Amino acid sequence: MEDDGEKSWIIIGMIENRAKEVGVAALDLRSASLHLSQYIETSGSYQNTKTLLQFYDPMFIIVPPSKLAPDSMVGVSVLVDRYYSASKKVIMARGCFDDTKGAVLVKNLAAKEPSALGLDSYYKQYYLCLAAAAATIKWTEAEKGVIITNHSLSVTFNGSFDHMNIDATSVQNLELIEPLHSNLWGTSNKKKSLFHMLKTTRTTGGTRLLRANLLQPLKDIETINARLDCLDELMSNEQLFFGLSQVLRKFPKETGKKKQEQEDRRMCYFSVCSLAYSQTQISNNKIDHSFDVYVSDRVLCHFCFKPKVTNKVLAGGGARKSQIIISSIILLKTALDALPLLSTGLKDAKSFLLGKIYKSICENDKYALIRQRIGEVIDEDVVHARVPFIARTQQCFAIKAGIDGLLDVARRTFCDTSEAIHKLTNKYREDFKLPNLKLPFNNRQGFYLSIPQKEVQGKLPSKFIQVVKHGNNLHCSTLELASLNVRNKSAAAECCSRTELCLEALNDSIREDVSALTLLAEVLCLLDMIVNSFAHMISTKPVDRYIRPEFTDSGPLAIDAGRHPILESIHDDYIPNSIFLSEASNMVVVMGPNMSGKSTYLQQVCLIVILAQIGCYVPARFSTVRVVDRIFTRMGAVDNLESNSSTFMTEMKETAFIMQNVFQRSLIVMDELGRATSSSDGFAIAWSCCEHLLSLKAYTIFATHMENLSDLATLYPNVKILHFHVDIKNNRLDFKFQLKDGPRYIPHYGLLLAGVAGLPNSVIEIASNITSRIIKQEAKKMEVNELQYYPIQMVYRVAQRLLCLKYSNHDEDSVREALQTLKESYLSGIL
């Protein structure tokens, strides 16, 4: 199986029952892992399933037929039809979704023991995802022509629910993976998503891990702190940071399909001189390993998925497969040769995570045994190369001489034809007086001739055929060269075929330790993400701009002087703002006119929480986070023509999903709810939604320009009102983007904007008179509410301060002093 850059190599099987319980099995062919999930779909729009599909981004989705299924069991199939092309959907008979066969397959293929997976205890609980696993594995083996070797897959159960859940709509609203708009007003810079900002990883595996962490951040505080401790050590120890960066570059990487095709088109010129060129010369050639894909993912595929023996392979159609297997062995050899460098870099590391990596990888004897087995068969001078002819020669001479007589004969033929091609090229230079004639090579054409056009007077001699103009050169061939090319290619194919036969026993022995290779793959990807993404990003910022966040199980969400991680890199004068949410004050209503910065602020808070929970520093002066299990967003206002939904209906569907799925530890951000319908209905819906969310312990940030919503603070003491400061100069709004306490009414800001837009003065005057009368009536109502509910507000404020002291790190004397100050403030009524 060939790699294609960052293209998804995940195959998903899905099935549901009448109770709308969905089982999902995701088989990742690139990392040899199987992820099983089973959950109850709580929304009619199948939001949980859409979120999982967006996370995995599968290349094929396997579902049972819906034609004869009950209406209650076709939701998943309809979802796939609506959001994915027909080429991605695969229908398998419902009998293929057999949970009993799935349990047996998982037991046999899992790298861990069934007891460690919890399969024995939870077999009945996971019956749907096991049924999906049976169909997925059966289809993969049949369609991809492979046999999955026993005890080779990394199997996880309910992986998506051990992490923070971010639904597909929120991923889009928060611009986690792709920006909503790439162009920024007032600047030539392009806006990036959070993923693109952090995407300084050097490997595809590290990039995929980064994307997975952003879509499903961690919830386990111990794991998060382990990553943060590692970052602390990297930031305080420059030698360790730069040392690990250099060591990771030593591990071999390999081009994906697209880059290999580009490389094939580059010219490579060689001096071919018999066997000495093929081994000695190449061993002295310093090959650059700065490619795209770390060895581990690519190598795992060829040890976990064993090719089936088919008529095509027996007939000699497996030449490409042979080359891939040989290349994988060479990649693995080069990776294992780099492990001592990693051991040296991690030997003195103090943090728990780096120490654990050192013990599990650098002190693991299995890697030395695998390297020893490879050394018994593979020549020591062979290294991985990406230059096409050098790579092919390395593959031909990978096996030590004398192991296989037929292989040695094929090698001599390969060298003889290569030397003959070189001599033929020299003959053409002399006979046709073409001193600058060159002999490039690529995998598609083999050897061909390149002649500078300026050296050709008139037409080329008839001996030269297949003449093509390529820039300032003419590419061509001759009958003699074509004949030698065929013999050279045939000899190379024979070398690869014989080499593959010699490697069968080595492959089988390596497959026994494939779990160790899986661990190496995971470690390299994790180090790439932490070192080359997190630590690199922090090191490029001014000192103390990014700080380590703190975590609590049930404490407040407090961010002091937080900044938007994406926009602050674009705007030098970005204004920081703070947030404080606790159980005693679990809702913040942010007010301000249009364009004052409310939506940016909501996005900023969510991005800081996500950065904190993936184990990265955050852009703030101080930050403490109560671990969030789900983030919900209701932002933006657009029609959804595909589902025949107006802007308001889209708002209501998203809000209903939030109300049905919110938990105590959720973070909810809602922007301008209710503005897409009549003012009275919109205000009523916004008010009632706030009251419902206030009854929960979830933290909510509600942005609005409905001034009447500030009355919530007079009725509910756990509501805090904030506003974005705006000045009015010469009948124009001067936005300060500074968040301040309390409500502030900007008189007629909508009318000011309308005047700028060009509405007639008479229309604006009438609108001003109407607005003034409405404001007077609302002010009287506000005064009555404040007098009635002031005592309750004071009690809640005291409770909020007490909760803060409960989770503080102050000593006993400081706490006593704070309590005395709180008592005096309460008695004086100025709290």
Side-chain angles (χ1 to χ4, degrees):
M1 290 177 290
E2 298 180 26
D3 204 317
D4 190 10
E6 294 183 22
K7 174 186 173 183
S8 171
W9 274 85
I10 294 178
I11 299 171
I12 280 187
M14 305 180 72
I15 187 171
E16 66 177 315
N17 61 16
R18 295 175 186 270
K20 287 195 177 297
E21 194 171 8
V22 180
V24 179
L27 178 60
D28 191 340
L29 301 182
R30 187 152 42 183
S31 62
S33 56
L34 179 66
H35 307 284
L36 304 177
S37 300
Q38 187 164 323
Y39 52 91
I40 296 175
E41 189 55 78
T42 54
S43 69
S45 58
Y46 284 77
Q47 275 289 352
N48 292 324
T49 306
K50 284 166 63 178
T51 300
L52 268 184
L53 288 175
Q54 182 181 41
F55 172 72
Y56 288 122
D57 187 23
M59 63 175 180
F60 293 108
I61 304 172
I62 303 168
V63 294
S66 57
K67 187 174 182 181
L68 301 178
D71 291 341
S72 59
M73 298 172 65
V74 299
V76 166
S77 184
V78 171
L79 177 73
V80 174
D81 287 335
R82 179 178 298 175
Y83 292 101
Y84 292 89
S85 61
S87 60
K88 282 196 171 188
K89 181 179 179 182
V90 177
I91 297 177
M92 290 188 72
R94 192 166 288 272
C96 296
F97 291 81
D98 188 327
D99 58 307
T100 304
K101 290 182 180 178
V104 173
L105 283 171
V106 171
K107 285 182 179 180
N108 292 335
L109 300 179
K112 295 180 180 179
E113 292 295 324
S115 57
L117 293 170
L119 187 60
D120 297 333
S121 305
Y122 301 105
Y123 167 72
K124 293 183 179 180
Q125 178 181 349
Y126 291 114
Y127 76 99
L128 278 177
C129 62
L130 290 173
T136 304
I137 293 170
K138 181 177 181 179
W139 184 88
T140 301
E141 291 189 334
E143 292 297 321
K144 296 298 178 182
V146 297
I147 299 172
I148 303 176
T149 56
N150 286 341
H151 309 298
S152 63
L153 291 183
S154 172
V155 181
T156 57
F157 280 89
N158 268 5
S160 62
F161 299 98
D162 296 331
H163 299 76
M164 181 201 296
N165 191 307
I166 308 176
D167 61 89
T169 302
S170 298
V171 169
Q172 183 179 6
N173 289 338
L174 298 177
E175 301 178 289
L176 291 183
I177 307 301
E178 294 293 336
L180 292 174
H181 307 287
S182 58
N183 294 321
L184 289 173
W185 179 76
T187 176
S188 60
N189 296 324
K190 296 290 185 179
K191 186 177 181 182
K192 297 180 179 180
S193 65
L194 186 62
F195 173 61
H196 290 142
M197 187 193 79
L198 293 171
K199 191 182 170 183
T200 52
T201 49
R202 298 182 181 276
T203 70
T204 303
T207 302
R208 290 200 310 272
L209 182 62
L210 173 64
R211 180 181 182 273
N213 273 262
L214 289 175
L215 291 176
Q216 293 187 343
L218 302 171
K219 289 199 302 187
D220 182 60
I221 295 180
E222 186 178 350
T223 306
I224 297 171
N225 281 326
R227 288 188 181 180
L228 291 171
D229 291 340
C230 178
L231 268 181
D232 286 346
E233 186 172 11
L234 290 171
M235 291 297 97
S236 60
N237 188 341
E238 291 184 2
Q239 184 177 356
L240 177 63
F241 172 45
F242 290 111
L244 282 178
S245 298
Q246 294 300 320
V247 166
L248 288 173
R249 294 180 182 181
K250 299 295 182 183
F251 281 87
K253 308 165 194 175
E254 185 172 53
T255 51
K257 185 176 178 182
K258 291 183 179 178
K259 292 209 171 183
Q260 184 63 54
E261 290 174 354
Q262 294 172 3
E263 192 60 38
D264 288 349
R265 291 192 287 268
R266 296 181 184 174
M267 297 182 180
C268 309
Y269 309 107
F270 307 98
S271 298
V272 184
C273 13
S274 70
L275 185 60
Y277 166 78
S278 304
Q279 267 185 307
T280 309
Q281 190 69 17
I282 293 177
S283 66
N284 294 329
N285 202 347
K286 301 301 181 183
I287 306 299
D288 176 24
H289 297 294
S290 300
F291 311 134
D292 273 348
V293 185
Y294 264 136
V295 55
S296 310
D297 280 355
R298 184 72 176 265
V299 168
L300 278 175
C301 290
H302 306 299
F303 295 120
C304 296
F305 305 107
K306 189 175 182 179
K308 291 181 179 178
V309 179
T310 62
N311 292 333
K312 181 179 178 182
V313 174
L314 293 174
R320 174 61 180 158
K321 174 182 69 67
S322 300
Q323 293 175 5
I324 292 174
I325 292 174
I326 299 166
S327 178
S328 296
I329 295 286
I330 297 173
L331 279 165
L332 180 57
K333 169 187 171 293
T334 315
L336 295 176
D337 286 340
L339 277 182
L341 298 174
L342 181 65
S343 176
T344 303
L346 293 175
K347 189 174 183 180
D348 297 325
K350 306 298 183 186
S351 63
F352 172 80
L353 181 59
L354 295 181
K356 189 76 172 176
I357 291 174
Y358 178 80
K359 290 180 180 178
S360 59
I361 299 294
C362 303
E363 294 183 351
N364 193 333
D365 295 334
K366 287 186 178 180
Y367 299 109
L369 291 174
I370 296 173
R371 178 64 184 87
Q372 183 181 347
R373 292 176 203 152
I374 293 174
E376 293 170 356
V377 180
I378 301 296
D379 194 285
E380 289 298 327
D381 293 329
V382 172
V383 294
H384 176 66
R386 73 172 181 177
V387 176
F389 185 70
I390 295 181
R392 191 167 78 170
T393 307
Q394 293 279 39
Q395 292 165 1
C396 292
F397 289 89
I399 301 292
K400 288 182 175 180
I403 291 180
D404 186 290
L406 293 176
L407 174 59
D408 292 340
V409 172
R411 284 170 173 171
R412 282 195 292 271
T413 304
F414 175 76
C415 290
D416 291 344
T417 53
S418 298
E419 186 176 2
I421 289 172
H422 178 67
K423 289 180 178 179
L424 181 64
T425 305
N426 286 335
K427 183 175 180 295
Y428 290 154
R429 290 192 186 103
E430 295 172 1
D431 293 350
F432 298 103
K433 295 181 174 55
L434 297 171
N436 292 318
L437 178 87
K438 296 176 181 178
L439 184 66
F441 174 90
N442 65 36
N443 289 329
R444 182 168 48 87
Q445 293 177 259
F447 288 103
Y448 60 96
L449 302 173
S450 177
I451 307 171
Q453 196 169 359
K454 63 182 179 180
E455 292 188 5
V456 179
Q457 303 297 330
K459 291 186 177 181
L460 278 173
S462 59
K463 180 179 283 290
F464 296 99
I465 60 175
Q466 299 175 343
V467 181
V468 177
K469 185 179 179 181
H470 190 274
N472 294 325
N473 299 313
L474 295 176
H475 291 180
C476 57
S477 184
T478 66
L479 292 176
E480 296 97 324
L481 180 60
S483 176
L484 288 170
N485 251 334
V486 171
R487 291 172 56 193
N488 184 266
K489 185 175 181 180
S490 176
E494 178 65 17
C495 287
C496 289
S497 178
R498 297 303 307 175
T499 300
E500 182 185 0
L501 292 174
C502 295
L503 291 177
E504 281 185 358
L506 178 60
N507 281 334
D508 290 338
S509 66
I510 293 175
R511 286 191 180 104
E512 294 175 3
D513 294 322
V514 73
S515 58
L517 299 183
T518 302
L519 178 62
L520 178 61
E522 293 173 353
V523 164
L524 290 177
C525 292
L526 180 62
L527 283 176
D528 182 37
M529 181 180 72
I530 293 178
V531 176
N532 292 326
S533 178
F534 297 172
H536 172 77
M537 183 268 295
I538 297 166
S539 67
T540 59
K541 305 294 183 183
V543 179
D544 296 333
R545 294 285 286 177
Y546 274 65
I547 56 97
R548 172 176 176 153
E550 297 178 6
F551 290 90
T552 61
D553 280 325
S554 54
L557 167 62
I559 301 171
D560 181 32
R563 305 180 306 280
H564 196 291
I566 303 170
L567 294 182
E568 74 155 348
S569 61
I570 300 172
H571 300 287
D572 296 333
D573 55 347
Y574 189 84
I575 307 298
N577 286 297
S578 304
I579 181 82
F580 182 87
L581 290 165
S582 66
E583 292 183 5
S585 179
N586 64 325
M587 176 177 283
V588 168
V589 177
V590 181
M591 307 186 69
N594 306 84
M595 302 189 301
S596 60
K598 299 189 299 297
S599 300
T600 300
Y601 176 71
L602 298 184
Q603 194 182 71
Q604 169 185 308
V605 173
C606 292
L607 293 182
I608 289 176
V609 170
I610 290 170
L611 277 177
Q613 288 193 214
I614 66 173
C616 184
Y617 286 7
V618 298
R621 188 162 52 206
F622 170 80
S623 172
T624 180
V625 178
R626 182 183 76 171
V627 174
V628 174
D629 61 1
R630 296 196 71 162
I631 286 182
F632 296 98
T633 65
R634 180 20 269 155
M635 303 170 72
V638 290
D639 293 338
N640 191 334
L641 301 180
E642 293 179 356
S643 60
N644 194 29
S645 297
S646 65
T647 300
F648 179 66
M649 180 56 70
T650 303
E651 276 189 24
M652 293 301 99
K653 286 181 178 179
E654 292 178 359
T655 305
F657 173 72
I658 294 173
M659 299 297 179
Q660 294 167 6
N661 294 278
V662 65
F663 295 100
Q664 289 185 356
R665 292 183 176 275
S666 300
L667 174 62
I668 306 158
V669 294
M670 307 189 78
D671 188 15
E672 306 288 6
L673 180 65
R675 66 177 176 180
T677 185
S678 66
S679 58
S680 57
D681 288 353
F683 172 72
I685 290 171
W687 184 284
S688 60
C689 285
C690 287
E691 287 188 327
H692 177 77
L693 294 173
L694 280 168
S695 64
L696 308 174
K697 292 184 178 181
Y699 291 165
T700 305
I701 310 174
F702 199 100
T704 182
H705 55 237
M706 296 179 182
E707 295 174 349
N708 292 341
L709 278 180
S710 62
D711 292 352
L712 281 167
T714 64
L715 302 176
Y716 298 98
N718 51 334
V719 176
K720 186 175 180 65
I721 306 295
L722 304 174
H723 73 273
F724 274 98
H725 182 56
V726 177
D727 283 341
I728 300 177
K729 296 180 179 179
N730 300 323
N731 287 331
R732 290 184 179 274
L733 297 176
D734 181 17
F735 298 104
K736 301 297 184 182
F737 305 109
Q738 184 71 48
L739 198 62
K740 295 191 174 183
D741 288 337
R744 180 169 184 241
Y745 303 108
I746 309 297
H748 314 313
Y749 69 84
L751 300 178
L752 292 175
L753 291 175
V756 173
L759 280 183
N761 291 333
S762 58
V763 173
I764 293 176
E765 288 177 5
I766 295 173
S768 298
N769 293 333
I770 296 172
T771 302
S772 299
R773 275 180 268 172
I774 294 174
I775 289 176
K776 288 180 181 178
Q777 295 174 359
E778 296 296 333
K780 292 180 181 178
K781 191 188 302 181
M782 190 85 168
E783 291 176 4
V784 173
N785 288 337
E786 285 181 354
L787 292 174
Q788 183 176 355
Y789 293 98
Y790 179 75
I792 300 177
Q793 285 183 339
M794 292 291 289
V795 172
Y796 260 79
R797 287 173 186 171
V798 170
Q800 180 179 349
R801 301 286 177 85
L802 292 174
L803 280 171
C804 293
L805 288 174
K806 176 182 177 181
Y807 294 107
S808 69
N809 297 323
H810 296 305
D811 55 28
E812 185 176 344
D813 292 337
S814 299
V815 172
R816 288 181 181 277
E817 184 179 347
L819 288 173
Q820 183 62 34
T821 304
L822 179 61
K823 179 181 178 181
E824 294 172 357
S825 300
Y826 177 74
L827 294 176
S828 61
I830 57 173
L831 191 64

